[in-house]
Amino acid sequence: MSPQSNRDQFRRPDHANETFIMTTVVGSYPKPKWLHRVRELWEDEENSFDDEDWKEATDDAARVITEEHERAGLDVLVDGEVRRNEMVEFFAHRIDGYEFNGPVKVWGHNYFDKPSVTRQVEYGENWLVEEYEFAAALTDRPVKVPITGPYTLANWSFNEAYDTEEELTYDLADLVNEEIEKLVDAGARYIQIDEPALATTPDDHAIVGEALERIAEEIHEDVYLGLHVCYGDYSRIYPEILDYPVDEYDLELANGDYEQLDVFTEHEFTGNLALGVTDVHVAEVESVAEIKENIKKGLEVVPADRLTVSPDCGLKLLPRDVAYGKMENMVQAAREVEAEIDRGEIEIARTPASAD
């Protein structure tokens, strides 16, 4: 199945336009304020809040956020990662071989509970299957599952057990592959691997490529595999990343006012592009007109039937009403651009029909 036809499985039956620009989010979303208070109570050993109370609270939060994504009109939803505290910590707590020894300062006054790998990593418990099944039961729309990639899980941890970070990355990739198999068995068809560390260490792009080969091994072809990379100098990893075994590349470009767009037009972009069209570092809702112009930037790289639009990155640090406004305007902008393409008001190339 070609990446383009694989993508079409996410087109809603009631989609009004012939053209389909898929709309989704990268993953994280502002949690309801009360959930932060519930976490404090749950983590307080002197309090009576227990695991069942925490589960009930996170289930309720997932209901709220999933409904919010659906109301905004997204084609593919995420539950906002409401159960996750941080993109490395969450997974490290579920992988045998990791230990925690207290927070370290990472930037400004922020601290990160950076884990250590103290022995060979092994698959312990399910990571995301329960999260996926709960969110998928809330909606008839597809639900995407973001997973922190093995290179970032290795690079953002202390390695006290492996001779090289590369070896650790490959072992973690095998665990991610195992988790994806379980998610696919549960019904998931859209998996996104998050590798923000790649942008800061671009010379390791071959290691990430080998890790993705392991992740994609024996995964059924109707599973849509995406890669999210944010920040950094994309010219250091493009076009090499086009060799990765993924259907879609999710890139942050709105924050840099698309100054790096030329990187992706110098060499033919052969995959599907998920383009950031709203800036998650700006706590203001961009207008529909402004987002439409950003979407048209994506059409300079790929035709509409290979274009997905999303915010630049996770929305979790924004006020919730701003995050919602960005999603709502993004969906309206995508639908308007689709209609304008259908009416011939925007001239773009369409991908030739695949022989597959």
Side-chain angles (χ1 to χ4, degrees), residues 265-276:
T265 56
E266 291 178 358
H267 300 272
E268 181 184 4
F269 198 100
T270 54
N272 293 341
L273 172 64
L275 181 71

Side-chain angles (χ1 to χ4, degrees), residues 29-33 35-36 65 80-85 320:
Y29 193 76
K31 295 178 175 66
K33 290 180 180 177
L35 190 63
H36 297 294
I65 303 306
E81 302 179 1
V82 296
R83 294 172 172 81
R84 310 185 196 182
N85 52 337
R320 193 162 143 204

